[in-house]
Amino acid sequence: MSDVVLSINKLTKNFGKLCAVNQLDLEVRRGQIFGMLGPNGSGKTTTLGMLMGVTNPTSGSFTWFGEAATHHTRKKIGAVLEHPIFYPYLSGQKNLELNAMVKGADPANIAKVLDIVELSARKDDKYKTYSLGMKQRLAIASALVSDPIILILDEPTNGLDPMGIAEIREIVKRIAADGKTIILASHLLDEVQKVCSHFAVLRKGKLMHSGPVDEVGKGEETVEVMAYHDDLAVLLQEFIGSGSIKKENGVYQVTMKDGFHSQDLNKFLFEKGIVTSHLATKKKTLEKQFLEILAEAH
Amino acid sequence: MLHLLKIDLKKMTSYRTFWVICGLYFLTLGFTTASGMEILRWFANKTVEFGASINIDRIPLYHFPDIWQNLIWISGLFKLVLAVMVVISITNEYQYRTLRQNIIDGMSRWEFVLSKILTNVLLSVMSVGMLLLIAIVTGLIYTPELILADVFIGTEFLLAYFLEVFAFLSYALMLGVFVQRSGLTIVLLMLSHMIEAIIKLNLFRESLEPSIGWLKQFFPLESITNLVPLPFARYAFQEIQDYVSLTAVAIALVWTFLFNYFSYLKLKRADI
Ligand SMILES: Nc1ncnc2c1ncn2[C@@H]1O[C@H](COP(=O)(O)OP(=O)(O)OP(=O)(O)O)[C@@H](O)[C@H]1O
Ligand SMILES: [Mg+2]
């Protein structure tokens, strides 16, 4: 069996005149943690909606596991799109029982997933009495209840506290370690960088970029320098490895020329009799790359 | 199939509104049909005070076989209550967007509609069961000389009653799928008969009545009403239709199919 889990082929969705998703081609492979990035309204949720059978595509197609999608395929996928959706008058437990029935999942899983999202203590309270973060957690629990091979999460950390965000990150990582495939739409780029193996960038429904996350750090290096010396700026300019130099919050950001690294700069400064109080190599962030990709598009 | 019914029932059985409305429905249905004789007696006593007198025991309201059509016609009036419940059940799915999650979780759109239709079948069967029980008990109490053969005459009205309730619930479901908001749907549901009557009034001017008046029976709500004709005129020595017309059944069946099919079609095409 091929390891392509999801293959999207020229998928398009028009809402009247508005083209929300435009000729999208994408492939997700087994075991990838796939980040979907894009500004507001770029078509992430619409794409996921089509993949999950709630939005009818205008044209194009996609296959799950190499087969045209049916509702049976969806049972093997755990998905939360946009907002948690539950029956407000039912308890968390009852809601999950209902999810499990629809998915044909073993009800014995419910206690387990409630534990994972740390909602066991509140499981018998009505859903409408939950806080936003608890609702989000229940949504993740419901996506996990059928022990799915693929997890689709659309901004799962929306409205969570920093602790909650970190917990969700751990959950996602743990699930990924089980060999599951995860598709994650998010605006938190450092989160995506921390957990995702691959990412795609959408803009106005079009695919702008798709590739592995660890390639983001490759290429030019930036070094942060701080030292108690008045002429530091002048000296940094003298260094032959310096590309551009910027000062941000009292810290100099030196972009290195090809072939030069932070240790070269450190050595140079030391020879000039300057001891730095701070010196750090900065990898290019996904955020920066993301903004560049979007800027290129103009 | 049973699985789908269980899913839909699970949504409802922890919902207080469901119990309140269903409770009200079955209680009023039960009490009204069971206590018709008492009401009549009270009414007779009142009229006695004005000098007139009715011998209520001469009216075979609760005698086999009259009882079937009598009670079923009365019960038919209460189906609106049940239909309101159906509307709330479907419009909730839109309001809470749980319909969307059901599909995401792996129901097909047809399965979703089917789960609602199956609940409608169950509610209709329960109505028939309730009526069957009440009719048998009250019939045994009030029929002066019980002849076994009489008991079974007119039981075809039970089937007509099932179709009457189920057709109307299917109509309510379709209205909910198309309108999606509970308040508006309930208002439309309650005005449906009036709206249809106005349309008929305008279409069939008196001059046209003899030539195309027969078309009236094809109107959706009229077709449901025609299943069980009003029986009480027989006690004023008038001719009534005391059987179930097969034409009426056929027309109502076609409408019932269409209501459910339209629900499915609408849901299939919608982005949810
Ligand atoms: N039901 C709808 N009817 C009309 N337009 C819609 C509908 N749903 C989405 N759109 C439009 O499609 C475009 C893409 O929306 P979508 O929700 O997919 O964006 P998104 O990438 O998920 O954005 P966000 O990051 O804000 O969640 C937007 O311009 C939106 O207005
Ligand atoms: Mg979105």
Side-chain angles (χ1 to χ4, degrees):
Chain A
M1 200 171 129
S2 118
D3 65 346
V4 176
V5 169
L6 167 68
S7 167
I8 302 179
N9 183 18
K10 302 229 176 320
L11 198 59
T12 301
K13 176 67 187 181
N14 296 329
F15 290 111
K17 274 188 192 152
L18 181 105
C19 189
V21 176
N22 192 351
Q23 303 269 325
L24 183 69
D25 289 307
L26 211 60
E27 223 168 57
V28 176
R29 286 167 188 278
R30 185 172 302 273
Q32 286 184 350
I33 309 186
F34 198 93
M36 286 248 278
L37 312 181
N40 292 132
S42 55
K44 302 180 296 289
T45 303
T46 307
T47 304
L48 297 178
M50 287 192 279
L51 297 179
M52 293 314 290
V54 288
T55 308
N56 292 320
T58 308
S59 64
S61 62
F62 58 90
T63 58
W64 285 109
F65 315 102
E67 288 166 21
T70 66
H71 62 284
H72 294 297
T73 344
R74 294 203 292 275
K75 293 191 172 125
K76 293 184 262 179
I77 305 171
V80 185
L81 301 193
E82 259 178 342
H83 310 288
I85 300 175
F86 291 100
Y87 294 88
Y89 53 83
L90 294 182
S91 67
Q93 167 81 21
K94 284 244 168 69
N95 266 302
L96 290 185
E97 284 170 11
L98 204 50
N99 292 128
M101 275 174 95
V102 173
K103 286 191 163 298
D106 183 359
N109 285 345
I110 293 171
K112 217 160 48 188
V113 295
L114 278 171
D115 248 6
I116 293 178
V117 298
E118 292 173 14
L119 267 183
S120 304
R122 296 289 301 269
K123 70 183 165 73
D124 292 321
D125 293 344
K126 286 200 165 72
Y127 172 74
K128 63 181 168 200
T129 67
Y130 285 4
S131 76
L132 178 60
M134 291 161 70
K135 289 175 177 170
Q136 294 274 11
R137 286 159 195 263
L138 190 67
I140 290 170
S142 83
L144 293 176
V145 81
S146 62
D147 198 16
I149 11 187
I150 300 173
L151 203 58
I152 295 185
L153 301 172
D154 189 0
E155 300 179 36
T157 50
N158 214 343
L160 289 187
D161 55 26
M163 240 164 56
I165 293 178
E167 277 167 22
I168 301 291
R169 184 199 309 145
E170 287 316 307
I171 292 172
V172 168
K173 278 183 169 168
R174 213 177 320 141
I175 297 163
D178 283 352
K180 285 181 182 158
T181 311
I182 300 175
I183 300 176
L184 175 75
S186 177
H187 291 295
L188 301 178
L189 297 175
D190 58 326
E191 280 301 311
V192 171
Q193 189 160 24
K194 274 177 198 152
V195 300
C196 289
S197 64
H198 292 73
F199 75 110
V201 179
L202 295 184
R203 184 172 162 273
K204 293 190 181 161
K206 277 205 159 123
L207 183 68
M208 309 306 306
H209 177 94
S210 162
V213 168
D214 51 13
E215 267 178 21
V216 170
K218 298 214 175 102
E220 59 189 25
E221 196 174 305
T222 306
V223 180
E224 279 186 358
V225 191
M226 240 162 84
Y228 301 107
H229 195 283
D230 295 336
D231 296 332
L232 187 61
V234 183
L235 280 168
L236 285 174
Q237 237 133 36
E238 273 176 27
F239 176 56
I240 50 163
S242 295
S244 64
I245 298 168
K246 268 190 306 190
K247 192 174 179 185
E248 262 174 32
N249 299 330
V251 184
Y252 287 96
Q253 312 259 358
V254 185
T255 314
M256 295 279 139
K257 283 186 179 157
D258 250 5
F260 289 93
H261 299 285
S262 51
Q263 60 264 40
D264 302 319
L265 180 60
N266 196 13
K267 194 165 157 228
F268 168 80
L269 290 175
F270 196 73
E271 280 163 4
K272 293 277 174 192
I274 297 173
V275 180
T276 58
S277 59
H278 171 86
L279 186 99
T281 310
K282 268 190 26 185
K283 264 197 181 176
K284 185 160 157 191
T285 59
L286 184 62
E287 180 174 327
K288 200 161 168 227
Q289 170 108 0
F290 174 74
L291 293 174
E292 277 172 21
I293 290 168
L294 291 180
E296 275 166 28
H298 284 290
Chain B
M1 289 256 275
L2 199 61
H3 183 64
L4 292 175
L5 179 63
K6 274 190 195 155
I7 289 177
D8 202 51
L9 289 181
K10 187 156 182 79
K11 294 174 186 172
M12 304 314 285
T13 44
S14 298
Y15 187 36
R16 190 175 304 140
T17 312
F18 172 79
W19 289 111
V20 171
I21 295 184
C22 279
L24 276 175
Y25 171 73
F26 285 107
L27 279 178
T28 48
L29 180 68
F31 274 117
T32 317
T33 48
S35 55
M37 270 329 258
E38 297 309 315
I39 295 171
L40 211 64
R41 195 161 283 147
W42 172 84
F43 194 69
N45 280 338
K46 281 275 168 201
T47 49
V48 166
E49 289 170 18
F50 295 105
S53 80
I54 305 170
N55 186 354
I56 51 158
D57 294 325
R58 295 259 306 276
I59 305 176
L61 206 58
Y62 276 84
H63 298 185
F64 288 117
D66 280 20
I67 186 170
W68 294 116
Q69 193 177 355
N70 291 348
L71 289 198
I72 284 173
W73 189 87
I74 294 284
S75 318
L77 301 176
F78 293 96
K79 62 183 183 293
L80 184 66
V81 181
L82 215 47
V84 167
M85 187 56 242
V86 170
V87 168
I88 291 175
S89 151
I90 180 70
T91 51
N92 269 354
E93 304 268 7
Y94 281 97
Q95 193 201 327
Y96 303 142
R97 305 192 78 200
T98 40
L99 161 59
R100 184 175 158 94
Q101 192 63 40
N102 283 168
I103 303 296
I104 289 173
D105 282 343
M107 261 196 185
S108 73
R109 293 173 189 222
W110 164 241
E111 282 177 340
F112 180 85
V113 176
L114 187 57
S115 79
K116 296 289 172 196
I117 294 175
L118 289 172
T119 304
N120 286 354
V121 171
L122 181 70
L123 290 173
S124 310
V125 167
M126 282 169 67
S127 302
V128 173
M130 175 107 177
L131 194 99
L132 179 68
L133 196 75
I134 290 170
I136 291 203
V137 171
T138 51
L140 288 178
I141 294 174
Y142 293 115
T143 309
E145 288 161 62
L146 199 65
I147 303 164
L148 196 61
D150 280 353
V151 175
F152 297 101
I153 299 173
T155 42
E156 73 266 23
F157 277 110
L158 285 172
L159 285 174
Y161 177 51
F162 170 79
L163 186 56
E164 181 188 354
V165 177
F166 181 56
F168 194 67
L169 297 188
S170 302
Y171 172 71
L173 177 63
M174 180 193 71
L175 219 54
V177 168
F178 276 83
V179 180
Q180 298 177 11
R181 262 164 291 170
S182 59
L184 188 56
T185 313
I186 291 171
V187 170
L188 279 176
L189 187 72
M190 297 208 273
L191 292 181
S192 295
H193 274 287
M194 203 189 290
I195 293 170
E196 191 183 283
I198 292 169
I199 293 172
K200 278 187 291 197
L201 217 60
N202 283 296
L203 281 181
F204 305 105
R205 302 292 161 119
E206 254 167 67
S207 55
L208 291 173
E209 181 72 39
S211 51
I212 58 166
W214 57 275
L215 278 174
K216 279 184 184 171
Q217 60 179 321
F218 291 103
F219 277 72
L221 294 175
E222 168 135 9
S223 82
I224 297 174
T225 324
N226 283 346
L227 287 167
V228 183
L230 178 72
F232 302 113
R234 62 182 157 196
Y235 304 123
F237 307 108
Q238 285 180 24
E239 189 87 0
I240 62 143
Q241 180 194 322
D242 59 356
Y243 56 91
V244 179
S245 140
L246 285 182
T247 327
V249 170
I251 298 172
L253 272 177
V254 169
W255 274 116
T256 308
F257 172 79
L258 286 179
F259 294 148
N260 289 314
Y261 184 64
F262 290 153
S263 301
Y264 169 60
L265 220 56
K266 165 77 180 161
L267 200 66
K268 194 177 129 189
R269 298 205 176 139
D271 291 330
I272 43 187

